[in-house]
Amino acid sequence: MEMTIKNLKAISAARIRLKDLHTHEDGDGENLAWSCIVFLKGKRLGSVQDPGEEKPLSIEIDSIQQVAMVKALKEHGYQLNLEAASQIDASDTHEYLEQALPQMADEVEWFNKAKPLLKSNTLFRIRGDEEGTFRLILALYNEKTEHALQSRFGDQLEAVLNNQLKGITL
């Protein structure tokens, strides 16, 4: 979860946006397919489609824009997960994006699910919670709520997501 939050901050700082992110099961109903439109600093770069597991990722972004996007991600500390990083030559822009874009889509989709809940709830994690999940209290986030969580869970409180996700714009 820590890497996801760091990566969301990197995507936000790089001013990369995955708009119209749509996920759905592929034709077989076995694999997740997705598509989005990619923007960098407010400029539309192109589109990306992942039709499912057995078919290649389609990146419709010209090579100059791909280089600019990878540079922005790396400058802001975006990190591929270990499995993805071990499979590629990180200096190859296209290979990097083939790994980074699906990972970014997962991270942005997670954020998009959490974001509406942040307005009127407090989201948190306890050590040992399943990766990518969070718990919810039906209470506005404030210092009093955070203190109550710290009192109840002590060292087991891993994170209060309202605080960690503050300022991220995607």
Side-chain angles (χ1 to χ4, degrees):
M1 178 59 60
E2 186 176 322
M3 186 166 99
T4 296
I5 292 170
K6 285 181 181 179
N7 281 347
L8 288 167
K9 289 179 179 181
I11 294 167
S12 179
R15 296 184 51 210
I16 294 172
R17 306 293 180 261
L18 304 184
K19 294 190 177 182
D20 296 329
L21 178 60
H22 298 287
T23 59
H24 56 278
E25 290 182 355
D26 68 4
D28 298 333
E30 295 179 9
N31 302 305
L32 190 63
W34 60 273
S35 63
C36 69
I37 300 171
V38 181
F39 288 77
L40 174 63
K41 298 180 181 172
K43 180 181 176 189
R44 181 188 167 129
L45 300 185
S47 63
V48 180
Q49 289 187 316
D50 184 347
E53 183 121 353
E54 299 300 319
K55 298 172 187 156
L57 184 68
S58 171
I59 303 172
E60 300 295 326
I61 301 172
D62 76 48
S63 59
I64 293 172
Q65 298 299 339
Q66 287 184 24
V67 169
M69 184 176 172
V70 169
K71 181 180 178 197
L73 284 168
K74 289 181 177 180
E75 283 177 352
H76 290 92
Y78 188 85
Q79 295 180 351
L80 294 176
N81 66 45
L82 293 177
E83 181 183 346
S86 69
Q87 295 177 10
I88 64 162
D89 172 5
S91 65
D92 182 308
T93 298
H94 192 75
E95 278 188 37
Y96 183 88
L97 283 179
E98 284 182 326
Q99 297 300 318
L101 283 164
Q103 182 177 316
M104 290 169 62
D106 288 343
E107 292 161 343
V108 170
E109 182 182 31
W110 178 88
F111 178 78
N112 289 342
K113 288 178 181 175
K115 186 177 177 180
L117 299 171
L118 295 170
K119 294 177 183 173
S120 58
N121 304 286
T122 301
L123 309 179
F124 66 101
R125 290 183 45 81
I126 301 297
R127 294 193 197 294
D129 280 351
E130 185 178 330
E131 183 63 29
T133 63
F134 51 84
R135 299 175 188 219
L136 180 137
I137 295 176
L138 299 174
L140 287 173
Y141 170 73
N142 55 39
E143 287 181 24
K144 183 178 176 183
T145 307
E146 186 166 353
H147 180 70
L149 286 170
Q150 289 172 341
S151 295
R152 178 164 182 204
F153 295 106
D155 291 341
Q156 292 303 307
L157 182 64
E158 181 179 302
V160 177
L161 298 175
N162 300 63
N163 201 21
Q164 292 187 325
L165 297 175
K166 187 187 298 185
I168 294 176
T169 305
L170 299 177

